[in-house]
């Protein structure tokens, strides 16, 4: 059983530092060999790629652009009437992924339109999502990239988000049927929406291309107070043969570096694997 490989989500970690370049350097200095970032689009991709290389980091995940955040958008993949904007954003994400050497793009589904009834628009939104995902799979395949679908919990984090359970995401992936589209397993969201993490990890792990972690309900470090037993979950992922990255997408409860004691303990016990794709 190989040790897990961890990725620093620099959109969340090192919030005391002012921008992505400084956070990437801090991640490298903290021992990470990989990093991920939600939206890198405010920085020139070549400059980010250079900073990551200098920090000894591999970029492993970015998101598609969120859309118009001032209008409440949080992804466009399933949003009716925004197909053209989704495809434009996808092209931008692909350009960044290529420049960054990043093999995975989270294809954000987006929110149920304001004032709409979720049940009433579910079928239409799924149809739009399937259409956009088939298009995205073709675009990504040309560049040997993988697209990810991430359920986001609607109980705490984003009540309007369209894609909110692993079951819903897996059903959509089955309908699309493209091998370069996979599931993004954020254990924070999965615990809040469905629990049953042992069963769900075992059931859905064959579809999973990326994992993310944070404690529940505070979204802090894995060793902060909360519901989840991360030593058990990490061992389960190892036992089930997970080979991808585990993204540290949590809100540091204090100084980011001091809060990495849980990861240093893991590395001391299991060793640090070489980062790969």
């Amino acid at each position: 059983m190989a040790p897990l490989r961890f990725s620093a989500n620099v959109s969340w970690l090192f919030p005391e530092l002012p921008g992505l370049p400084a956070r990437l350097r801090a991640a490298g200095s903290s021992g990470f060999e990989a990093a991920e970032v939600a939206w890198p689009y405010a920085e020139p991709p070549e400059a980010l790629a250079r900073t990551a290389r200098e920090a000894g980091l591999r970029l492993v995940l970015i998101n598609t652009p969120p859309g118009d955040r001032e209008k409440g958008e949080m992804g466009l993949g399933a949003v009716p009437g925004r197909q053209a904007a989704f495809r434009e954003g996808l092209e931008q994400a692909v350009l960044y992924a290529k420049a960054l050497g990043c093999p995975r793009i989270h294809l954000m589904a987006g929110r149920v339109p304001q004032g709409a009834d979720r049940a009433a628009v579910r079928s239409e939104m799924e149809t739009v999502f399937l259409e956009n995902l088939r298009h995205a799979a073709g675009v990504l395949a040309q560049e040997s990239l993988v697209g990810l679908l991430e359920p986001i919990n609607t109980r705490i984090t984003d009540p309007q988000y369209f894609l909110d359970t692993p079951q819903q995401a897996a059903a959509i992936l089955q309908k699309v049927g493209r091998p370069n589209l996979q599931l993004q397993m954020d254990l924070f969201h999965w615990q809040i929406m469905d629990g049953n993490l042992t069963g769900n990890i075992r059931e859905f792990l064959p579809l999973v291309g990326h994992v993310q972690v944070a404690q529940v309900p505070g979204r802090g470090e894995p060793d902060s107070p909360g519901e989840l037993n991360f030593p058990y979950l990490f061992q389960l992922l190892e036992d089930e043969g997970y080979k991808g990255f585990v993204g540290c997408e949590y809100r540091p409860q204090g100084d980011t570096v001091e809060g990495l004691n849980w990861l240093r303990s893991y590395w001391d016990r299991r060793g640090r694997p070489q980062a790969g794709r």
Side-chain angles (χ1 to χ4, degrees):
M1 294 173 290
L4 299 174
R5 302 181 297 167
F6 290 89
S7 167
N9 190 311
V10 293
S11 296
W12 288 75
L13 301 189
F14 310 103
E16 62 274 10
L17 298 176
L20 293 179
R23 294 182 183 193
L24 287 170
R25 287 189 286 270
S29 298
S30 299
F32 284 100
E33 295 176 88
E36 57 198 67
V37 56
W39 299 304
Y41 306 109
E43 303 279 350
E46 296 80 9
L48 276 184
R50 183 171 59 253
T51 300
R53 284 195 304 272
E54 292 170 351
L57 294 170
R58 181 187 301 274
L59 269 295
V60 297
L61 177 69
I62 62 174
N63 295 352
T64 49
D68 190 337
R69 298 193 70 181
E70 291 187 2
K71 294 182 178 178
E73 292 182 329
M74 186 60 68
L76 300 172
V79 181
R82 296 289 275 152
Q83 290 93 324
F86 170 80
R87 296 182 183 199
E88 290 174 10
L90 175 67
E91 295 292 342
Q92 184 182 22
V94 167
L95 287 174
Y96 268 75
K98 290 170 61 179
L100 296 170
C102 178
R104 297 168 197 84
I105 299 174
H106 168 205
L107 306 170
M108 298 194 72
R111 291 171 169 157
V112 173
Q114 199 68 34
D117 177 75
R118 177 181 293 272
V121 300
R122 181 184 179 104
S123 177
E124 180 187 6
M125 292 190 71
E126 181 174 301
T127 297
V128 170
F129 203 21
L130 292 172
E131 173 190 327
N132 280 333
L133 290 175
R134 291 187 182 105
H135 170 80
V139 171
L140 296 174
Q142 294 176 16
E143 306 294 344
S144 299
L145 298 172
V146 171
L148 299 175
L149 275 61
E150 180 188 18
I152 293 175
N153 83 80
T154 49
R155 290 185 171 143
I156 296 176
T157 300
D158 195 334
Q160 292 298 110
Y161 206 76
F162 171 71
L163 190 70
D164 65 351
T165 68
Q167 292 83 4
Q168 181 191 10
I172 287 172
L173 285 172
Q174 184 176 27
K175 289 177 182 178
V176 178
R178 302 296 175 87
N180 67 329
L181 298 185
Q182 298 174 349
L183 187 56
Q184 185 166 317
M185 177 198 291
D186 188 320
L187 295 178
F188 174 79
H189 297 306
W190 286 32
Q191 168 69 4
I192 290 169
M193 289 305 297
D194 199 56
N196 188 34
L197 287 183
T198 299
N200 282 337
I201 287 171
R202 287 177 173 155
E203 178 179 357
F204 295 114
L205 198 61
L207 304 176
V208 170
H210 192 74
V211 172
Q212 291 175 325
V213 295
Q215 186 56 274
V216 176
R219 209 165 189 177
E221 290 89 346
D223 64 347
S224 61
E227 300 174 12
L228 298 184
N229 179 349
F230 274 101
Y232 168 82
L233 292 170
F234 291 155
Q235 186 64 55
L236 178 62
L237 289 170
E238 287 186 29
D239 291 346
E240 293 296 313
Y242 178 65
K243 304 298 185 189
F245 285 93
V246 177
C248 302
E249 187 182 270
Y250 59 78
R251 185 178 296 109
Q253 303 298 290
D255 180 80
T256 301
V257 175
E258 291 180 5
L260 288 171
N261 286 334
W262 66 272
L263 183 55
R264 297 187 194 97
S265 295
Y266 180 89
W267 282 335
D268 288 343
R269 183 170 52 84
R270 296 293 287 120
R272 300 191 194 191
Q274 289 297 313
R277 293 201 171 195

